[in-house]
Amino acid sequence: MARPRKSYTWWIMGHVLYFLLGLGILLMVLFLLWRIYFSGRLPEEMRGLSKNDALVAAYAAEGDALELWTQEQSTITKSSESYGYFSVPRFVYIPSADQLQLVFRYNNSTLEAAKRDFSLESEPPRGEEVFDVSLLVISDLTPDDQSDNTDGSENLGQSRIAPTSHTVTTTSLYTYFLYTFDAVEVTEETLVIYFDIYYGGAVDYGAEPYGTLRVYHKESPREAVRLKRAELEALAQ
């Protein structure tokens, strides 16, 4: 009785399918790991401070004793109008320079949302200043009486500060801006500082911002920031 011949074609196809299935699972796992742990990593040019005259002068006066600090605040917008649209993953305050530097980030889907939310004909371009950003500084005008520091109180002062300069970097997923704000003086009367994001050129600052994030609160602890060697060498030149 003749033995049945094996179908090597089906055997090979089965192994190829198993290989492709395993490869697909591996690629999916690698993509998820990259998306979770590496895609949000700041580009190198966004990890340090921007060198400018005020910062150089402050370092020349104080040297390695130059004070820099940050605070732990919410890094991503969570309001219903802009949930997840914008992020400030890093900000540093330099008291002796009266300067705040921060990294502003948004992804491609934010531009798609802006097109929808503002009924635009086309999606805003990447790498350009699509959004108008500024700092809103809230101060206590009656520091001896802290019981009147409620929202909307006439005893609270407001001032708005526009950025002095910026640099921009784009990646496959994100657009990053490193903004420098000058004349930012944090005193005992300073209660809170917000980073406001508006869309468009002619902005009504009396209206609600498209997104907002807090970058200073009087009651939040300050965390010291240390300059990296490359930053120290750049400031010393």
Side-chain angles (χ1 to χ4, degrees), residues 126-148:
R126 296 187 62 202
E128 297 185 11
E129 284 194 283
V130 175
F131 303 102
D132 180 287
V133 301
S134 58
L135 298 180
L136 179 63
V137 183
I138 309 296
S139 301
D140 187 358
L141 300 179
T142 57
D144 294 334
D145 181 9
Q146 299 184 11
S147 64
D148 57 4

Side-chain angles (χ1 to χ4, degrees), residues 1 5-6 17 25 67 73 78 92 98 103 107 111-112 114 118 126 141 147 166 183 199 201 203 216-217 220 226:
M1 182 176 178
R5 298 177 59 185
K6 292 183 178 180
L17 288 175
I25 294 174
E67 179 187 5
Q73 302 288 349
K78 296 181 179 180
V92 178
D98 289 337
V103 176
N107 58 25
L111 297 177
E112 297 173 2
F118 297 99
R126 296 187 62 202
L141 300 179
S147 64
H166 74 273
Y199 175 77
V203 175
Y216 172 77
H217 194 282
S220 299
R226 297 184 62 182

Side-chain angles (χ1 to χ4, degrees), residues 143-155:
D144 294 334
D145 181 9
Q146 299 184 11
S147 64
D148 57 4
N149 293 340
T150 57
D151 290 343
S153 171
E154 296 181 353
N155 298 306

Side-chain angles (χ1 to χ4, degrees), residues 12 57 63 83 122 158 195 200-201:
I12 293 173
Y83 192 90
S122 60
Q158 296 187 6
F195 177 71

Side-chain angles (χ1 to χ4, degrees), residues 107-127:
N107 58 25
N108 296 338
S109 62
T110 297
L111 297 177
E112 297 173 2
K115 176 185 176 182
R116 180 188 66 248
D117 294 343
F118 297 99
S119 302
L120 305 177
E121 293 183 357
S122 60
E123 186 176 304
R126 296 187 62 202

